[in-house]
Amino acid sequence: YNSFDQPKLVFGSKGSGEGQFNWPLNVAVDRDNNIIVCDTENRRIQTFDEEGLFLRSERFQGVKKREYDPIIA
């Protein structure tokens, strides 16, 4: 948040395409300042650069919807 209590970066929308989310649960930042989002209902981890631009997506393997415990980072 900035000094006006507004988010510094907002990105994504609801959906299942690249850069879209369906119940994003957790967010982390890696050592390269990439933003990693656990996109729970789409069963994937999405990675974005520090400006919020989509880089890649990795699917959860071997799980069906609601058959896993969410990862809390």
Side-chain angles (χ1 to χ4, degrees):
Y1 285 87
N2 63 21
S3 60
F4 300 106
D5 203 29
Q6 298 170 331
K8 289 184 177 183
L9 179 65
V10 177
F11 62 95
S13 61
K14 183 168 176 54
S16 60
E18 291 181 353
Q20 294 184 317
F21 307 105
N22 189 4
W23 196 11
L25 189 59
N26 290 301
V27 177
V29 178
D30 69 13
R31 64 178 169 236
D32 297 322
N33 288 325
N34 293 319
I35 303 162
I36 303 163
V37 180
C38 180
D39 185 11
T40 308
E41 286 297 307
N42 287 324
R43 297 178 294 180
R44 64 186 176 187
I45 302 292
Q46 294 196 76
T47 304
F48 302 85
D49 71 8
E50 59 190 21
E51 300 296 322
L53 297 175
F54 177 83
L55 297 175
R56 66 185 161 275
S57 177
E58 297 177 49
R59 291 231 171 249
F60 297 164
Q61 297 297 316
V63 295
K64 295 178 183 173
K65 285 187 178 183
R66 304 287 182 175
E67 283 191 357
Y68 54 87
D69 291 325
I71 302 168
I72 306 298

Coordinates of all heavy atoms in Angstrom, one line a residue:
Y1 N 0.8 -1.2 0.0 CA 0.0 0.0 0.0 C 0.9 1.2 0.0 O 1.9 1.3 0.6 CB -0.9 0.0 1.2 CG -2.1 -1.0 1.1 CD1 -1.9 -2.3 1.4 CD2 -3.3 -0.6 0.5 CE1 -3.0 -3.2 1.3 CE2 -4.3 -1.5 0.4 CZ -4.2 -2.8 0.8 OH -5.2 -3.6 0.6
N2 N 0.4 2.3 -0.6 CA 1.1 3.5 -0.7 C 0.7 4.4 0.5 O -0.1 4.0 1.4 CB 0.9 4.3 -2.0 CG -0.5 4.7 -2.3 OD1 -1.3 4.8 -1.4 ND2 -0.8 4.9 -3.5
S3 N 1.2 5.6 0.5 CA 0.9 6.5 1.7 C -0.5 7.0 1.7 O -1.0 7.5 2.7 CB 1.9 7.7 1.6 OG 1.7 8.4 0.4
F4 N -1.3 6.7 0.6 CA -2.7 7.1 0.6 C -3.6 5.9 0.9 O -4.8 5.8 0.6 CB -3.1 7.7 -0.7 CG -2.3 8.9 -1.1 CD1 -1.3 8.9 -2.0 CD2 -2.6 10.1 -0.4 CE1 -0.6 10.1 -2.3 CE2 -2.0 11.3 -0.7 CZ -0.9 11.3 -1.7
D5 N -2.9 4.8 1.4 CA -3.6 3.5 1.8 C -4.3 2.9 0.6 O -5.3 2.2 0.7 CB -4.6 3.8 2.9 CG -4.9 2.5 3.7 OD1 -4.0 1.6 3.8 OD2 -6.0 2.4 4.2
Q6 N -3.6 3.0 -0.6 CA -4.1 2.4 -1.8 C -3.1 1.3 -2.2 O -1.9 1.4 -2.0 CB -4.2 3.4 -3.0 CG -5.2 4.5 -2.7 CD -5.1 5.6 -3.7 OE1 -4.1 5.8 -4.3 NE2 -6.2 6.3 -3.9
P7 N -3.6 0.2 -2.8 CA -2.7 -0.9 -3.3 C -1.7 -0.3 -4.3 O -2.0 0.5 -5.1 CB -3.6 -1.9 -3.9 CG -5.0 -1.5 -3.6 CD -5.0 -0.1 -3.2
K8 N -0.4 -0.8 -4.2 CA 0.6 -0.3 -5.2 C 0.5 -1.0 -6.5 O 0.8 -0.5 -7.5 CB 2.0 -0.6 -4.6 CG 2.4 0.3 -3.5 CD 3.8 0.0 -3.1 CE 4.3 1.0 -2.0 NZ 5.7 0.8 -1.6
L9 N -0.1 -2.3 -6.5 CA -0.2 -3.1 -7.7 C -1.5 -3.9 -7.6 O -1.8 -4.5 -6.6 CB 1.0 -4.0 -7.8 CG 1.0 -4.9 -9.1 CD1 1.1 -4.1 -10.3 CD2 2.1 -5.9 -8.9
V10 N -2.3 -3.8 -8.7 CA -3.5 -4.6 -8.8 C -3.5 -5.2 -10.2 O -3.2 -4.5 -11.2 CB -4.8 -3.7 -8.7 CG1 -6.0 -4.5 -8.9 CG2 -4.8 -3.0 -7.3
F11 N -3.7 -6.5 -10.3 CA -3.7 -7.2 -11.5 C -4.6 -8.4 -11.5 O -5.0 -8.9 -10.4 CB -2.3 -7.6 -12.0 CG -1.6 -8.5 -11.0 CD1 -1.6 -9.9 -11.3 CD2 -0.9 -8.1 -9.9 CE1 -1.0 -10.8 -10.4 CE2 -0.3 -9.0 -9.1 CZ -0.3 -10.3 -9.3
G12 N -5.0 -9.0 -12.7 CA -5.8 -10.2 -12.7 C -7.3 -9.8 -12.7 O -7.7 -8.7 -12.5
S13 N -8.0 -10.9 -13.0 CA -9.5 -10.8 -13.0 C -10.0 -12.2 -12.7 O -9.3 -13.2 -12.7 CB -10.0 -10.3 -14.3 OG -9.7 -11.1 -15.4
K14 N -11.3 -12.3 -12.5 CA -11.9 -13.7 -12.3 C -12.0 -14.4 -13.6 O -12.4 -13.9 -14.6 CB -13.3 -13.5 -11.7 CG -14.0 -14.9 -11.3 CD -15.2 -14.7 -10.5 CE -15.9 -16.0 -10.2 NZ -15.1 -17.0 -9.6
G15 N -11.6 -15.7 -13.5 CA -11.7 -16.6 -14.7 C -10.7 -17.7 -14.6 O -10.1 -17.9 -13.6
S16 N -10.5 -18.4 -15.7 CA -9.6 -19.5 -15.8 C -8.5 -19.3 -16.8 O -7.7 -20.2 -17.0 CB -10.3 -20.8 -16.1 OG -11.0 -20.7 -17.3
G17 N -8.4 -18.2 -17.5 CA -7.3 -17.9 -18.4 C -6.0 -17.5 -17.8 O -6.0 -17.3 -16.6
E18 N -5.0 -17.3 -18.6 CA -3.7 -16.8 -18.1 C -4.0 -15.4 -17.4 O -4.6 -14.5 -18.0 CB -2.7 -16.6 -19.2 CG -2.3 -18.0 -19.8 CD -1.2 -17.8 -20.9 OE1 -0.9 -16.7 -21.3 OE2 -0.7 -18.8 -21.3
G19 N -3.5 -15.3 -16.2 CA -3.6 -14.0 -15.5 C -5.0 -13.9 -14.8 O -5.2 -12.8 -14.2
Q20 N -5.8 -14.9 -14.9 CA -7.1 -14.8 -14.2 C -7.1 -15.8 -13.0 O -6.3 -16.7 -13.0 CB -8.2 -15.2 -15.2 CG -8.4 -14.2 -16.3 CD -9.6 -14.6 -17.2 OE1 -9.8 -15.7 -17.5 NE2 -10.3 -13.6 -17.6
F21 N -8.0 -15.5 -12.1 CA -8.0 -16.3 -10.8 C -9.4 -16.8 -10.5 O -10.4 -16.1 -10.8 CB -7.5 -15.5 -9.7 CG -6.1 -14.8 -9.9 CD1 -6.1 -13.5 -10.2 CD2 -5.0 -15.6 -9.9 CE1 -4.9 -12.9 -10.4 CE2 -3.8 -15.0 -10.1 CZ -3.7 -13.6 -10.4
N22 N -9.4 -17.9 -9.9 CA -10.7 -18.4 -9.3 C -10.3 -18.9 -7.9 O -9.8 -20.0 -7.7 CB -11.2 -19.6 -10.1 CG -12.6 -20.0 -9.7 OD1 -13.2 -19.4 -8.8 ND2 -13.1 -21.1 -10.3
W23 N -10.6 -18.1 -6.9 CA -10.2 -18.2 -5.5 C -8.7 -18.2 -5.2 O -8.2 -19.2 -4.8 CB -10.9 -19.5 -4.9 CG -11.0 -19.5 -3.4 CD1 -10.7 -18.5 -2.6 CD2 -11.3 -20.6 -2.6 NE1 -10.8 -18.9 -1.3 CE2 -11.2 -20.2 -1.3 CE3 -11.7 -21.9 -2.9 CZ2 -11.5 -21.1 -0.2 CZ3 -11.9 -22.8 -1.8 CH2 -11.8 -22.3 -0.5
P24 N -8.1 -17.1 -5.5 CA -6.6 -17.0 -5.2 C -6.5 -17.0 -3.7 O -7.2 -16.3 -3.0 CB -6.2 -15.7 -5.8 CG -7.5 -14.9 -5.9 CD -8.6 -15.9 -6.1
L25 N -5.7 -17.9 -3.2 CA -5.6 -18.1 -1.7 C -4.4 -17.5 -1.1 O -4.5 -16.9 0.0 CB -5.7 -19.6 -1.4 CG -5.9 -20.0 0.1 CD1 -7.1 -19.4 0.6 CD2 -5.9 -21.5 0.2
N26 N -3.2 -17.6 -1.7 CA -2.0 -17.1 -1.1 C -1.1 -16.5 -2.2 O -1.2 -16.8 -3.3 CB -1.2 -18.3 -0.5 CG -1.9 -18.8 0.8 OD1 -2.1 -18.1 1.7 ND2 -2.2 -20.1 0.8
V27 N -0.3 -15.6 -1.7 CA 0.6 -14.9 -2.6 C 2.0 -14.9 -1.9 O 2.1 -14.7 -0.7 CB 0.2 -13.4 -2.8 CG1 1.2 -12.6 -3.6 CG2 -1.2 -13.3 -3.4
A28 N 3.0 -15.1 -2.7 CA 4.4 -15.0 -2.2 C 5.3 -14.3 -3.3 O 4.8 -14.1 -4.4 CB 5.0 -16.4 -2.0
V29 N 6.4 -13.8 -2.9 CA 7.4 -13.2 -3.8 C 8.7 -14.0 -3.7 O 9.2 -14.2 -2.6 CB 7.6 -11.7 -3.3 CG1 8.6 -11.1 -4.2 CG2 6.3 -11.0 -3.4
D30 N 9.2 -14.3 -4.9 CA 10.5 -15.1 -4.9 C 11.7 -14.1 -4.9 O 11.5 -12.9 -4.8 CB 10.5 -16.1 -6.0 CG 10.6 -15.5 -7.4 OD1 10.9 -14.3 -7.5 OD2 10.5 -16.2 -8.4
R31 N 12.9 -14.7 -4.9 CA 14.1 -13.9 -4.8 C 14.3 -13.0 -6.0 O 15.1 -12.1 -5.9 CB 15.3 -14.8 -4.5 CG 15.6 -15.7 -5.7 CD 16.8 -16.6 -5.4 NE 16.9 -17.6 -6.4 CZ 17.0 -18.9 -6.1 NH1 17.1 -19.3 -4.9 NH2 17.1 -19.8 -7.1
D32 N 13.6 -13.3 -7.1 CA 13.7 -12.4 -8.3 C 12.6 -11.4 -8.3 O 12.4 -10.8 -9.4 CB 13.7 -13.3 -9.5 CG 14.9 -14.2 -9.6 OD1 16.0 -13.8 -9.2 OD2 14.7 -15.4 -10.0
N33 N 11.9 -11.3 -7.3 CA 10.7 -10.4 -7.1 C 9.5 -10.8 -8.0 O 8.7 -9.9 -8.3 CB 11.1 -8.9 -7.4 CG 11.9 -8.3 -6.3 OD1 11.7 -8.6 -5.1 ND2 12.9 -7.5 -6.6
N34 N 9.5 -12.0 -8.4 CA 8.3 -12.5 -9.1 C 7.2 -12.8 -8.1 O 7.5 -13.2 -7.0 CB 8.6 -13.8 -9.9 CG 9.6 -13.6 -11.0 OD1 9.5 -12.6 -11.8 ND2 10.5 -14.5 -11.2
I35 N 6.0 -12.6 -8.5 CA 4.8 -12.7 -7.6 C 4.2 -14.1 -8.0 O 3.9 -14.4 -9.1 CB 3.8 -11.6 -7.9 CG1 4.5 -10.2 -7.7 CG2 2.6 -11.8 -7.0 CD1 3.7 -9.1 -8.3
I36 N 4.0 -14.9 -6.9 CA 3.5 -16.3 -7.1 C 2.2 -16.4 -6.4 O 2.1 -16.0 -5.2 CB 4.5 -17.3 -6.5 CG1 5.9 -17.1 -7.2 CG2 4.0 -18.7 -6.7 CD1 7.0 -17.8 -6.4
V37 N 1.2 -16.8 -7.1 CA -0.2 -16.8 -6.6 C -0.7 -18.3 -6.7 O -0.7 -18.9 -7.7 CB -1.2 -15.9 -7.4 CG1 -2.6 -16.0 -6.9 CG2 -0.6 -14.5 -7.5
C38 N -1.3 -18.7 -5.6 CA -1.9 -20.0 -5.5 C -3.4 -19.8 -6.0 O -4.2 -19.2 -5.2 CB -1.9 -20.6 -4.1 SG -2.7 -22.2 -3.9
D39 N -3.7 -20.2 -7.2 CA -5.0 -20.1 -7.8 C -5.8 -21.3 -7.5 O -5.8 -22.3 -8.4 CB -4.8 -19.8 -9.3 CG -6.0 -19.5 -10.0 OD1 -7.1 -19.3 -9.4 OD2 -6.0 -19.5 -11.3
T40 N -6.4 -21.4 -6.4 CA -6.9 -22.7 -5.8 C -7.9 -23.4 -6.7 O -7.7 -24.6 -7.0 CB -7.5 -22.4 -4.4 OG1 -6.6 -21.6 -3.6 CG2 -7.9 -23.6 -3.7
E41 N -9.0 -22.8 -7.1 CA -10.1 -23.5 -7.8 C -9.7 -23.8 -9.2 O -10.2 -24.7 -9.8 CB -11.4 -22.7 -7.8 CG -12.1 -22.7 -6.4 CD -12.5 -24.2 -6.1 OE1 -13.2 -24.8 -6.9 OE2 -12.1 -24.6 -4.9
N42 N -8.7 -23.1 -9.8 CA -8.1 -23.5 -11.1 C -7.0 -24.5 -11.0 O -6.4 -24.9 -12.0 CB -7.6 -22.2 -11.8 CG -8.8 -21.4 -12.4 OD1 -9.8 -21.9 -12.8 ND2 -8.6 -20.1 -12.3
R43 N -6.7 -24.9 -9.7 CA -5.7 -25.9 -9.4 C -4.4 -25.6 -10.1 O -3.8 -26.5 -10.8 CB -6.2 -27.3 -9.8 CG -7.5 -27.7 -9.1 CD -8.0 -29.0 -9.5 NE -8.5 -28.8 -10.9 CZ -9.0 -29.8 -11.6 NH1 -9.1 -31.0 -11.1 NH2 -9.4 -29.6 -12.8
R44 N -3.8 -24.4 -9.8 CA -2.6 -24.1 -10.4 C -1.9 -23.0 -9.6 O -2.5 -22.4 -8.7 CB -2.7 -23.6 -11.8 CG -3.6 -22.3 -11.9 CD -3.9 -21.9 -13.3 NE -4.7 -20.7 -13.3 CZ -5.3 -20.2 -14.4 NH1 -5.0 -20.8 -15.6 NH2 -6.0 -19.1 -14.3
I45 N -0.6 -22.9 -9.9 CA 0.2 -21.8 -9.3 C 0.6 -20.9 -10.5 O 1.1 -21.4 -11.5 CB 1.5 -22.3 -8.7 CG1 1.3 -23.4 -7.6 CG2 2.4 -21.2 -8.2 CD1 0.6 -22.8 -6.4
Q46 N 0.3 -19.6 -10.4 CA 0.6 -18.7 -11.5 C 1.8 -17.8 -11.0 O 1.8 -17.4 -9.9 CB -0.6 -17.8 -11.9 CG -1.7 -18.6 -12.5 CD -2.7 -17.7 -13.2 OE1 -2.4 -17.3 -14.3 NE2 -3.8 -17.5 -12.6
T47 N 2.7 -17.5 -11.9 CA 3.8 -16.6 -11.6 C 3.8 -15.4 -12.5 O 3.5 -15.5 -13.7 CB 5.1 -17.4 -11.8 OG1 5.1 -18.6 -11.0 CG2 6.3 -16.5 -11.4
F48 N 4.0 -14.2 -11.9 CA 4.0 -12.9 -12.6 C 5.3 -12.2 -12.3 O 5.9 -12.4 -11.2 CB 2.8 -12.1 -12.1 CG 1.5 -12.8 -12.3 CD1 1.0 -13.7 -11.3 CD2 0.7 -12.5 -13.4 CE1 -0.2 -14.4 -11.5 CE2 -0.5 -13.2 -13.6 CZ -1.0 -14.1 -12.6
D49 N 5.6 -11.3 -13.2 CA 6.8 -10.4 -12.9 C 6.4 -9.4 -11.8 O 5.2 -9.3 -11.4 CB 7.4 -9.9 -14.1 CG 6.6 -8.8 -14.8 OD1 5.6 -8.3 -14.2 OD2 7.0 -8.4 -15.9
E50 N 7.3 -8.5 -11.5 CA 7.0 -7.6 -10.4 C 6.1 -6.5 -10.8 O 5.6 -5.7 -10.0 CB 8.3 -6.9 -9.9 CG 9.2 -6.2 -10.9 CD 10.5 -5.8 -10.4 OE1 11.0 -6.4 -9.4 OE2 11.1 -4.9 -11.0
E51 N 5.8 -6.4 -12.1 CA 4.8 -5.4 -12.6 C 3.4 -6.1 -12.8 O 2.5 -5.5 -13.2 CB 5.2 -4.9 -14.0 CG 6.6 -4.1 -13.9 CD 6.5 -2.9 -13.0 OE1 5.4 -2.2 -13.1 OE2 7.5 -2.6 -12.3
G52 N 3.3 -7.4 -12.5 CA 2.0 -8.1 -12.6 C 1.8 -8.7 -14.0 O 0.7 -9.2 -14.2
L53 N 2.8 -8.8 -14.8 CA 2.7 -9.4 -16.1 C 2.8 -10.9 -16.0 O 3.8 -11.4 -15.4 CB 3.7 -8.9 -17.1 CG 3.5 -7.4 -17.4 CD1 4.7 -6.9 -18.3 CD2 2.2 -7.1 -18.1
F54 N 2.0 -11.7 -16.6 CA 2.0 -13.2 -16.6 C 3.3 -13.7 -17.1 O 3.7 -13.3 -18.2 CB 0.8 -13.7 -17.3 CG 0.7 -15.2 -17.4 CD1 0.2 -15.9 -16.3 CD2 1.2 -15.9 -18.5 CE1 0.2 -17.3 -16.3 CE2 1.2 -17.3 -18.5 CZ 0.7 -18.0 -17.4
L55 N 3.9 -14.7 -16.4 CA 5.1 -15.4 -16.8 C 4.8 -16.8 -17.1 O 5.2 -17.3 -18.2 CB 6.2 -15.3 -15.8 CG 6.7 -13.9 -15.5 CD1 7.7 -14.0 -14.3 CD2 7.3 -13.3 -16.7
R56 N 4.2 -17.6 -16.2 CA 3.9 -19.0 -16.4 C 2.9 -19.5 -15.4 O 2.6 -18.8 -14.4 CB 5.2 -19.8 -16.3 CG 5.8 -19.8 -14.9 CD 7.2 -20.5 -14.8 NE 7.9 -20.1 -13.7 CZ 8.7 -19.0 -13.6 NH1 8.8 -18.2 -14.6 NH2 9.3 -18.7 -12.5
S57 N 2.4 -20.7 -15.7 CA 1.4 -21.4 -14.8 C 1.8 -22.8 -14.7 O 2.3 -23.4 -15.7 CB 0.1 -21.2 -15.5 OG -0.9 -21.9 -14.8
E58 N 1.6 -23.4 -13.5 CA 1.9 -24.8 -13.3 C 0.7 -25.4 -12.6 O 0.2 -24.9 -11.6 CB 3.1 -25.0 -12.4 CG 4.4 -24.5 -13.0 CD 5.6 -24.6 -12.1 OE1 5.8 -25.7 -11.5 OE2 6.3 -23.6 -11.9
R59 N 0.2 -26.5 -13.1 CA -1.0 -27.1 -12.6 C -0.7 -28.0 -11.4 O 0.4 -28.6 -11.3 CB -1.7 -28.0 -13.6 CG -2.3 -27.2 -14.7 CD -3.8 -27.6 -14.9 NE -4.4 -26.7 -15.8 CZ -5.4 -25.9 -15.4 NH1 -5.8 -25.9 -14.1 NH2 -6.0 -25.1 -16.2
F60 N -1.6 -28.1 -10.4 CA -1.5 -29.1 -9.3 C -1.6 -30.5 -10.0 O -2.5 -30.7 -10.8 CB -2.6 -28.9 -8.3 CG -2.6 -27.7 -7.5 CD1 -3.7 -27.3 -6.8 CD2 -1.5 -26.8 -7.5 CE1 -3.8 -26.1 -6.1 CE2 -1.5 -25.6 -6.8 CZ -2.7 -25.3 -6.1
Q61 N -0.7 -31.4 -9.7 CA -0.8 -32.7 -10.3 C -1.5 -33.7 -9.3 O -1.3 -33.7 -8.1 CB 0.6 -33.2 -10.6 CG 1.3 -32.4 -11.6 CD 0.6 -32.4 -13.0 OE1 0.2 -33.5 -13.4 NE2 0.5 -31.3 -13.6
G62 N -2.3 -34.6 -9.9 CA -2.9 -35.7 -9.1 C -4.0 -35.3 -8.1 O -4.2 -36.0 -7.1
V63 N -4.6 -34.1 -8.2 CA -5.6 -33.7 -7.3 C -6.9 -33.3 -8.1 O -6.8 -32.8 -9.2 CB -5.2 -32.6 -6.3 CG1 -4.1 -33.0 -5.4 CG2 -4.8 -31.4 -7.1
K64 N -8.0 -33.5 -7.4 CA -9.3 -33.0 -8.0 C -9.7 -31.8 -7.1 O -9.3 -31.7 -6.0 CB -10.3 -34.1 -8.0 CG -9.9 -35.3 -8.9 CD -11.0 -36.4 -8.8 CE -10.5 -37.5 -9.7 NZ -11.4 -38.7 -9.5
K65 N -10.6 -31.1 -7.6 CA -11.1 -30.0 -6.9 C -11.6 -30.4 -5.5 O -12.2 -31.4 -5.3 CB -12.3 -29.3 -7.6 CG -11.9 -28.4 -8.8 CD -13.0 -27.7 -9.3 CE -12.5 -26.8 -10.5 NZ -13.6 -26.0 -11.0
R66 N -11.2 -29.6 -4.5 CA -11.5 -29.8 -3.1 C -11.0 -31.1 -2.5 O -11.4 -31.5 -1.4 CB -13.1 -29.8 -2.9 CG -13.7 -28.5 -3.4 CD -13.4 -27.4 -2.5 NE -14.1 -26.2 -3.0 CZ -14.2 -25.1 -2.3 NH1 -13.6 -25.0 -1.2 NH2 -14.8 -24.1 -2.8
E67 N -10.0 -31.8 -3.1 CA -9.4 -32.9 -2.6 C -8.0 -32.7 -2.0 O -7.1 -33.5 -1.9 CB -9.3 -34.0 -3.6 CG -10.5 -34.8 -3.9 CD -10.3 -36.0 -4.7 OE1 -9.2 -36.3 -5.2 OE2 -11.3 -36.7 -5.0
Y68 N -7.7 -31.4 -1.7 CA -6.4 -31.1 -1.2 C -6.6 -30.1 0.0 O -7.6 -29.4 0.0 CB -5.5 -30.5 -2.3 CG -6.2 -29.4 -3.0 CD1 -6.1 -28.1 -2.5 CD2 -6.9 -29.6 -4.1 CE1 -6.7 -27.0 -3.2 CE2 -7.6 -28.5 -4.8 CZ -7.4 -27.3 -4.3 OH -8.1 -26.2 -4.9
D69 N -5.6 -30.0 0.8 CA -5.5 -28.9 1.8 C -4.8 -27.8 1.2 O -3.7 -27.9 0.7 CB -4.8 -29.4 3.1 CG -5.6 -30.5 3.8 OD1 -6.8 -30.4 3.8 OD2 -5.0 -31.3 4.4
P70 N -5.3 -26.6 1.2 CA -4.7 -25.4 0.7 C -3.3 -25.2 1.3 O -3.1 -25.5 2.5 CB -5.6 -24.2 1.0 CG -6.9 -24.8 1.3 CD -6.6 -26.2 1.8
I71 N -2.3 -24.8 0.5 CA -1.0 -24.4 1.1 C -1.1 -23.0 1.6 O -1.4 -22.1 0.9 CB 0.0 -24.5 -0.1 CG1 0.0 -25.9 -0.7 CG2 1.4 -24.1 0.4 CD1 0.8 -26.0 -2.0
I72 N -0.7 -22.9 2.9 CA -0.6 -21.6 3.5 C 0.8 -21.1 3.5 O 1.7 -21.7 4.1 CB -1.2 -21.6 4.9 CG1 -2.6 -22.2 4.9 CG2 -1.2 -20.2 5.5 CD1 -3.7 -21.5 4.1
A73 N 1.1 -20.1 2.7 CA 2.5 -19.6 2.7 C 2.7 -18.3 3.5 O 1.8 -17.6 3.8 CB 2.9 -19.3 1.2

